[in-house]
C-alpha cells in the first residue's frame, strides 16, 4: 500500500514538473516571435465615459502581465495621482510593436 501511494505521489510530481516545463517552452516560443518588438508611445484623447480600464483593454499588449500593470505604467507616464480621467484629457499611452503603428 505504501509503495502504491509513493508511486502515485511521484507520478503526480512528475506530471506537475512536465506541465511547468511545457508552459515555459511555450512562453519562450512566444517570446522569440516577438523579438523585434520595441516600446512606442502614442497620444490619446480621452473620450466620454472612458476609464483607464477601458483604455488598457484597447491598448495593452502581451508584454504587460495584466491590465493593472498597464494602467500603472500609464499613470506613471502621465503623472496621474489617481485613476480618474476626464473627457478631453490627453494621455500618452505605451505599446509594443515591431514598428510604430500609424494612427494608433
Amino acid at each position: 500500500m505504501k509503495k502504491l501511494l509513493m508511486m502515485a505521489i511521484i507520478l503526480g510530481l512528475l506530471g506537475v514538473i512536465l506541465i511547468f516545463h511545457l508552459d515555459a517552452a511555450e512562453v519562450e516560443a512566444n517570446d522569440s516571435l516577438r523579438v523585434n518588438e520595441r516600446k512606442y508611445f502614442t497620444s490619446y484623447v480621452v473620450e466620454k465615459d472612458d476609464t483607464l480600464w477601458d483604455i488598457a483593454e484597447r491598448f495593452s499588449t502581451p508584454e504587460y502581465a495584466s491590465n493593472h500593470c498597464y494602467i500603472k505604467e500609464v499613470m506613471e507616464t502621465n503623472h496621474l495621482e489617481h485613476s480618474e480621467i476626464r473627457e478631453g484629457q490627453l494621455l500618452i499611452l505605451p505599446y509594443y510593436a515591431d514598428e510604430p503603428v500609424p494612427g494608433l
Side-chain angles (χ1 to χ4, degrees), residues 1-38:
M1 184 71 170
K2 286 184 179 181
K3 285 184 180 181
L4 186 60
L5 179 61
M6 191 62 128
M7 194 89 135
I9 291 172
I10 290 172
L11 287 174
L13 288 173
L14 287 174
V16 169
I17 291 170
L18 181 62
I19 288 171
F20 281 120
H21 178 71
L22 291 175
D23 283 346
E26 182 179 340
V27 167
E28 286 178 20
N30 288 340
D31 287 347
S32 68
L33 294 175
R34 304 179 73 85
V35 76
N36 293 327
E37 294 201 343
R38 296 183 178 155

Side-chain angles (χ1 to χ4, degrees), residues 75-89:
M75 290 181 66
E76 289 171 0
T77 301
N78 292 279
H79 308 288
L80 300 176
E81 294 180 13
H82 50 78
S83 62
E84 293 177 24
I85 54 176
R86 63 186 184 290
E87 182 179 3
Q89 184 175 359

Side-chain angles (χ1 to χ4, degrees), residues 59-72:
F59 292 95
S60 181
T61 52
E63 290 75 13
Y64 294 94
S66 66
N67 282 350
H68 177 73
C69 293
Y70 183 79
I71 290 168
K72 182 178 176 185

